[in-house]
Amino acid sequence: MPSGLDLFSGLSARKGIPGFGPFYVSFPLQKAFAALFCLITLAISPGPVAADQVTPIACVTNQAVPDAIAAKLDSTLLTVIDGDAESAEVVGFAPGSELFVRSPDWTYHRSAGTADIATNAPLDCGRPFQIGSNSKMITATILMQLVEEGELSLDDLLAVHLPEVAAALPFGDMITIRQLSNHTSGIFSYTDNAPNGVPGIMEGALSDQDLLARSYTPEELIRFVIDNGAPNFEPGAQGQWSYSNTGYILIGMILEKITGKPLGDLFRDRIFEPLGMQNSFLWNGVPQPEFNLPRSYYQPPFDLDTTDWNMSQAWAAGGVISTAQDMDLFIRGLMAGRLFNDPATLSAMLEGVPTDGGFMTYGIGIGEKPGGFWGHGGQTLGYESDIGLFRDQDISLVIWTNSARNLAALGSSLVFGALAESGALEKRADAAQSLTGTRWVWASATDASGHTTTVEDPQRYAIFFQDGGDLAVKADCNRVLGKYDQKDDALSMVTKVSTKALCEPDSLEDKFLKALQETTGFQWNDKTLVLVLGQNAGTMEFAHDTTN
């Protein structure tokens, strides 16, 4: 790591901290273009209703939820749609959201916000939504069923099942099905911008309505990778992990080849019908009006309507439409072993590898997060969701929103905090309770010699700690998710860039992110946070922003 003088070169000597300006947020799955973030007020035009004016819609359930738990979960639900929330400028917000949480003793199911910003029609209970990458859990479950049936092995080479594809891919003769399914293959994700400058599939759709609605075959998605991609690392490289939607397109192709059936039929026959998921299906086109999906949007100010996004662009990696009730049936059925004949199959599916993303470990299409939460997350161009199970307490969670960039990406952490506050879950003894719930903006830096300089535009750099160990970061024009671990005065952070927009020439993005990952400790009070950097590189001072 460079010295403190090198690390903080480029900071401004100008004093003062300007007001915390607006910006947009982004999360894993798609990498986004930079944009300005602004709000549309109801006084000017129709738009999302302020959260303090909203009462959640109570959905019909069979088990009443205790008042104390309901109040905390109501607050969580409303925070997701609140553009004025403390977290909104770092993590974002959504027009509408639905939250389903079920324990053995009670069920919470409520929705809030709007399904259509043009009309302010309420987002009513039980609406279907695009589950995005939560579809990988379904694809992976069928993969494990076929492994259990002896139709293939996780250690089979890709070349055994798709020899022509393997021959065309770099390192294609080395890639195994296990590596495709746990994201250790290093294969380029077709949703990313390519090294040769070609926008990733779905990325280009953000600026071209024709591309938004364009249909792709799985073979065309793979051809994009062959023609434009480059591997992130050699398959199975020690300590390497890189999330790739391409891997799950390849798995879907393998499943169809082995069974001789369309993937949608496999989902229906092997997952949806056995579990009673009557409102779930794989869709390979533009959603139809009769599906009753809410209108969907990319990000605030919700001027990019993505309702007509063609779901063939996700297919086995993220093309399922479902409901909160159905996805609750799925995650509970999966984690109870109901979809396998041998309990060892589920154990093999959960056997994970360390990641540098939003999971502690990632198995075969499913990951573990803090709090003993097993599940996944999902994002399309118009939806964000988090689905899983707090396994020890048998509490399931489904949260979704009708925009692509918002707090639902941290759904398990949000709900963990709400349940811990209400007494339904035990609080983490080592959680940085003092740091959570606050937007910290980078005010200044002090190098190893003691010289302090002020950040010229603090609003361009911010961090937000969430209960459960999740970290959200604004690094100038890019948005980052990561993890933090805190005990006593020791603090470490791991960040993973989720967007790769090109920031202005004066950007301190790289230095900021590198410094965060070199943090070894902290000091704080209610107004100031000081991060202590390792190797005697100095400190970073943050202010509790109260201008929102």
Side-chain angles (χ1 to χ4, degrees), residues 138-139 141-143 145-146 149 251-274 280-282 315-316 320 339:
I138 299 171
T139 301
T141 298
I142 295 175
L143 172 64
Q145 288 176 340
L146 295 181
E149 294 163 14
I251 291 171
M253 294 169 66
I254 292 170
L255 299 183
E256 288 196 335
K257 183 175 181 180
I258 288 176
T259 64
K261 296 182 179 181
L263 190 63
D265 290 355
L266 294 176
F267 282 12
R268 180 194 64 212
D269 297 342
R270 286 177 170 264
I271 307 293
F272 301 150
E273 289 188 353
S280 302
F281 54 96
L282 179 69
W315 195 53
V320 169
L339 294 169

Side-chain angles (χ1 to χ4, degrees), residues 143-167:
L143 172 64
M144 294 305 296
Q145 288 176 340
L146 295 181
V147 169
E148 187 177 75
E149 294 163 14
E151 296 292 335
L152 79 167
S153 166
L154 290 177
D155 295 319
D156 284 352
L157 291 171
L158 171 65
V160 171
H161 300 282
L162 299 175
E164 294 183 359
V165 172

Side-chain angles (χ1 to χ4, degrees), residues 389-470:
L389 181 77
F390 293 99
R391 199 176 188 189
D392 291 344
Q393 294 83 8
D394 193 28
I395 296 178
S396 52
L397 159 68
V398 180
I399 185 171
W400 67 267
T401 62
N402 58 334
S403 70
R405 305 192 177 282
N406 55 74
L407 200 58
L410 304 179
S412 63
S413 289
L414 282 177
V415 171
F416 181 97
L419 295 178
E421 289 296 324
S422 68
L425 280 178
E426 184 177 351
K427 289 185 179 181
R428 283 179 37 170
D430 62 343
Q433 299 294 330
S434 57
L435 302 179
T436 59
T438 296
R439 185 171 63 251
W440 299 97
V441 296
W442 191 19
S444 63
T446 301
D447 63 29
S449 68
H451 176 70
T452 298
T453 51
T454 299
V455 178
E456 183 176 356
D457 295 307
Q459 70 272 19
R460 293 165 67 179
Y461 310 92
I463 52 179
F464 190 86
F465 298 93
Q466 186 66 43
D467 285 331
D470 280 327

Side-chain angles (χ1 to χ4, degrees), residues 143 194 218 244 251 265 304 322 383 492 521 537 548:
L143 172 64
S244 175
I251 291 171
D265 290 355
L304 177 54
S322 188
Y383 291 85
S492 62
N548 189 43

